[in-house]
Every structure is written in C-alpha cells, then in structure tokens.
C-alpha cells in the first residue's frame, strides 16, 4: 500500500512537469524567423474585450493588445497576465519566469479604446510551436462601491523556424 502511494505521487509529479514543459524547453527561439497568427478573443462581460493587433520581436515576443470598453461603465485593468497553451484540447497555464508585475491601474472610460504592449518574453519562455492565449482581468465599475471582475483572453498561434 505504501509503494502504491509513492508510485501515484511520482506519476502526479511527472504529469505536472510534462504539462509545464509544453511551454518551455532548453532550445532558444529565433523569433525573427517565427510567425504569429492572431486567433479568437473571449470575454465574460459583454462590451469589454481585448484583441491582439500586432505581434513583434524586440528582444523577445511582444503583443500589442487593444482594450475596448463598449459599455456605460468605467473599466480598470493592469499589467497582470498569464499565458496558457492548448494541449490535447485543454488550456494549460504555462510556467512563468517571474510574476512581479507592476501595480499600475489603467482606466478606460465608456466607449473608449487603449493599446498596451505586453512583453511575453519577460515573463514566459515560450520555445515550442503551438496555440497559446494571453489571459488577463479587469474590473467594471458599476456604481460607487460595486465592481465586477471580468476575465478576458486573446489567442495566438506560434510557428517556430
């Protein structure tokens, strides 16, 4: 019985390691020779969305994200994001190099847009081709006291050369 638990723990550890290995490997990526295809977007609050408008390579992968607030409310968002990779039909969060995002709040007034550049390579080492998505959050201010959280994502596919 004792060995059975040890084997199950070892299998669980291997599964976790293989999951995160899908986002990073030891191979260095030449992003100049790679291509990014922009995919679908999603939001769990109607009228608030993000969209990848450009992918570029300046010392690593950077995504220009357009934030849109097509509501009557103020929207507050920050620098925080995570990267997920689609593996066997499921989205798996990639292992971050660091998670110390600046604590900055940006405000979008109603019916407005803003574009921010997200430095993917600063926080994540992506070294495998595949389908990824940037996930982030914002808060919709609905009155003086109440705010509603919103989760958003923007997909992209990376081809490595």
């Amino acid at each position: 019985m004792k060995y059975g638990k040890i084997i199950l723990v070892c299998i669980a550890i291997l599964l976790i390691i293989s999951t995160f290995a899908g986002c990073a490997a030891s191979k260095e990526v030449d992003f100049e020779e790679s291509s990014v295809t922009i995919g679908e977007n999603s939001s769990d609050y109607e009228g608030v969305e993000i969209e990848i408008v450009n992918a570029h390579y300046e010392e690593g992968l950077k995504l220009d994200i357009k934030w849109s607030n097509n509501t009557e409310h103020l929207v507050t968002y920050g620098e925080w994001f995570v990267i997920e990779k689609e593996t066997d039909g499921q989205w798996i969060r990639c292992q971050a190099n660091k998670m110390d995002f600046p604590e900055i709040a940006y405000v979008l007034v109603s019916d407005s847009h803003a574009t921010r550049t997200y430095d993917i390579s600063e926080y994540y080492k992506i070294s495998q081709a595949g389908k990824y998505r940037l996930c982030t959050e914002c808060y919709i201010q609905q009155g003086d006291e109440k705010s509603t959280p919103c989760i958003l994502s923007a997909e992209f596919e990376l081809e490595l050369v």
Side-chain angles (χ1 to χ4, degrees), residues 15-36:
L15 284 173
I16 291 169
I17 291 170
S18 67
T19 296
F20 288 127
C23 299
S26 59
K27 177 184 169 191
E28 285 296 316
V29 176
D30 181 6
F31 283 111
E32 296 295 334
E33 299 295 324
S34 304
S35 69
V36 175

Side-chain angles (χ1 to χ4, degrees), residues 95-113:
Q95 173 103 25
N97 301 329
K98 63 179 186 173
M99 291 298 286
D100 58 342
F101 293 95
E103 293 186 27
I104 299 172
Y106 303 102
V107 177
L108 274 179
V109 296
S110 64
D111 296 317
S112 67
H113 309 281

Side-chain angles (χ1 to χ4, degrees), residues 126-141:
I126 297 177
S127 59
Q128 293 185 345
K131 189 173 183 181
Y132 294 87
R133 70 180 177 184
L134 178 141
C135 301
T136 189
E137 64 184 2
C138 68
Y139 294 89
I140 295 90
Q141 307 299 329

Side-chain angles (χ1 to χ4, degrees), residues 63-115:
L63 299 176
D64 295 333
I65 304 288
K66 178 181 176 184
W67 283 81
S68 298
N69 176 11
N70 299 311
T71 72
E72 299 174 354
H73 309 289
L74 287 176
V75 172
T76 305
Y77 65 98
E79 297 278 330
W80 179 87
F81 69 91
V82 296
I83 297 295
E84 297 178 338
K85 184 174 192 284
E86 187 177 47
T87 305
D88 298 327
Q90 293 189 343
W91 290 102
I92 307 296
R93 185 175 287 187
C94 295
Q95 173 103 25
N97 301 329
K98 63 179 186 173
M99 291 298 286
D100 58 342
F101 293 95
E103 293 186 27
I104 299 172
Y106 303 102
V107 177
L108 274 179
V109 296
S110 64
D111 296 317
S112 67
H113 309 281
T115 302

Side-chain angles (χ1 to χ4, degrees), residues 41 49-56 62-68 77 81 113-120 134 136 152-156:
N41 311 318
E49 55 190 38
I50 60 172
E51 168 188 13
I52 300 172
V53 293
N54 189 29
H56 49 99
K62 293 178 176 41
L63 299 176
D64 295 333
I65 304 288
K66 178 181 176 184
W67 283 81
S68 298
Y77 65 98
F81 69 91
H113 309 281
T115 302
R116 303 225 37 87
T117 300
Y118 289 78
D119 187 348
I120 307 305
L134 178 141
T136 189
L152 307 106
S153 66
E155 297 176 9
F156 60 99

